[in-house]
Amino acid sequence: MTMPVQNGKLYVVATPIGNLSDISLRAIELLQSVDLIAAEDTRHIRQLMQRYGITNKLTPLHQHNEADASEILIKKIQQGLSLALVSDAGTPLISDPGQPLIKLAHNAGITVSPIPGACALIAAISASGLPVSRFIFEGFLPRTSSARKSFFQEKLDCPCTWIVYESSHRIQATIIDMAEILPGQRRIVIARELTKIYETVVNSTISQMVELFKTDKNMQRGEFVIIVTGAETIDKNKDISVEHEKMLRTLLKECTIKSAVTIAVELTGLKKRTLYQAALKLADSR
Ligand code: SAM
């Protein structure tokens, strides 16, 4: 159902993340009908507008001007103008500009209406096959290797699935850093070039992913979403997680089974019997 554009209202419009057909009918109508479109890159959005025969006024709103430009745009909306906010790709504000504008709009009592559509992280998790009833989106990873490793260290025990964006410049280094900190058998999905010709969704372990990036150089090209499963959630009476097993293994190198189990109970809060059985299995397999 089409809804007429309202004066004095701000619309947040999702645009495609690659395939230009991934835009809603409502988004097309709205981009044609609003008084003004605020775009991250006005040249970039023109390709989409040309494809759908949209002719409308554009104004730039990007990370370098959004503090000042947002205030000016809010005044215009208060005077009765209808405005659509778009970013270069996907959903505005998701690792994209727009937060100051939307915040100011709420403060000014302006109605903000989302026009939903493509978003790389949502597209990636829907095709990942990983547990996603709970997930954390962390945006872009730090650029340096040491900062990335600290980030992965913090994530080691995170119980739910987490997601990051990464660029082609750093993707291989990122996977190698990840393999140094997280258990090699942890499952990971890399969603590359979603909705485009070379779309690839790989679900494997972290160790297998390191090998894939070494052997297939095409994997390093394009745009990436990385999804990592959380530390295994476990039944306290049944089994122990990979991380807890790693800890127990380390303790067993230095202590007797009894001491290792006592320390592990204190550190993990797991049942003594569970840890004792796991410790016996580990000691047997040495
Ligand atoms: N606002 C966008 C969204 O809704 O997903 C994200 C913008 S952010 C500046 C760009 C990053 O999103 C890329 O570096 C990449 O990590 C991810 N991304 C965007 N398009 C993608 C695609 N087609 N396939 C995989 N990842 C993509």
Side-chain angles (χ1 to χ4, degrees), residues 17 89-91 94-96 119-120 140 165-166 193-194 223-225:
I17 55 168
T91 302
I94 307 299
S95 296
D96 266 344
C119 179
F140 278 101
Y165 283 165
E166 188 52 287
E193 292 289 88
L194 290 172
E223 300 191 278
F224 302 85
V225 181

Side-chain angles (χ1 to χ4, degrees), residues 222-234:
E223 300 191 278
F224 302 85
V225 181
I226 306 175
I227 311 179
V228 184
T229 26
E232 283 169 75
T233 41
I234 47 151

Side-chain angles (χ1 to χ4, degrees), residues 5-280:
V5 166
Q6 288 173 10
N7 292 337
K9 194 163 166 178
L10 171 55
Y11 296 90
V12 188
V13 184
T15 58
I17 55 168
N19 188 323
L20 289 188
S21 297
D22 291 332
I23 185 161
S24 73
L25 294 175
R26 211 172 139 223
I28 296 168
E29 283 169 12
L30 200 120
L31 291 176
Q32 179 62 63
S33 318
V34 285
D35 294 315
L36 183 64
I37 301 171
E40 185 180 4
D41 180 340
T42 52
R43 283 164 309 174
H44 187 95
I45 198 72
R46 275 204 181 94
Q47 292 169 25
L48 182 73
M49 292 170 68
Q50 258 170 13
R51 160 81 178 256
Y52 291 102
I54 298 168
T55 48
N56 207 338
K57 288 191 279 290
L58 290 163
T59 188
L61 187 102
H62 44 72
Q63 58 170 334
H64 305 296
N65 77 345
E66 64 179 334
D68 294 337
S70 297
E71 291 197 8
I72 297 167
L73 290 172
I74 289 295
K75 286 200 183 104
K76 289 187 190 236
I77 300 172
Q78 284 172 322
Q79 286 160 9
L81 172 138
S82 56
L83 181 81
L85 170 69
V86 295
S87 61
D88 283 353
T91 302
L93 277 84
I94 307 299
S95 296
D96 266 344
Q99 208 273 338
L101 179 70
I102 307 299
K103 186 179 167 202
L104 285 174
H106 281 288
N107 290 348
I110 291 167
T111 306
V112 182
S113 180
I115 313 297
C119 179
L121 89 103
I122 299 298
I125 64 173
S126 71
S128 72
L130 298 182
V132 289
S133 53
R134 287 173 69 208
F135 63 84
I136 298 175
F137 174 56
E138 296 280 3
F140 278 101
L141 281 171
R143 285 166 180 244
T144 65
S145 176
S146 62
R148 275 197 301 269
K149 285 184 193 166
S150 308
F151 173 85
F152 296 143
Q153 196 74 48
E154 276 172 33
K155 280 274 160 272
L156 194 57
D157 293 324
C158 174
C160 54
T161 296
W162 47 275
I163 300 143
V164 290
Y165 283 165
E166 188 52 287
S167 81
S168 55
H169 306 111
R170 288 179 289 276
I171 186 74
Q172 187 169 23
T174 289
I175 301 302
I176 291 169
D177 288 346
M178 196 180 273
E180 273 188 40
I181 308 295
L182 297 172
Q185 63 273 49
R186 186 78 76 87
R187 286 214 86 79
I188 177 176
V189 164
I190 295 210
R192 164 181 171 258
E193 292 289 88
L194 290 172
T195 79
K196 304 184 208 176
I197 294 176
Y198 297 108
E199 177 180 274
T200 317
V201 179
V202 183
N203 175 325
S204 75
T205 65
I206 293 178
S207 305
Q208 288 164 340
M209 199 63 85
V210 172
E211 290 309 309
L212 179 65
F213 271 79
K214 275 190 203 151
T215 52
D216 183 352
K217 295 296 166 200
N218 285 329
M219 273 303 286
Q220 293 174 38
R221 302 203 177 103
E223 300 191 278
F224 302 85
V225 181
I226 306 175
I227 311 179
V228 184
T229 26
E232 283 169 75
T233 41
I234 47 151
D235 175 348
K236 286 198 172 197
N237 294 311
K238 226 173 133 200
D239 210 347
I240 64 169
S241 70
V242 175
E243 277 74 27
H244 289 153
E245 187 179 303
K246 204 167 146 192
M247 185 190 71
L248 202 49
R249 208 185 283 276
T250 311
L251 286 169
L252 284 168
K253 280 189 196 151
E254 305 295 331
C255 329
T256 61
I257 291 184
K258 195 168 171 242
S259 313
V261 169
T262 307
I263 298 168
V265 167
E266 208 164 306
L267 292 176
T268 64
L270 294 179
K271 291 204 163 162
K272 188 173 175 185
R273 212 174 106 237
T274 308
L275 287 163
Y276 192 69
Q277 277 166 356
L280 283 179

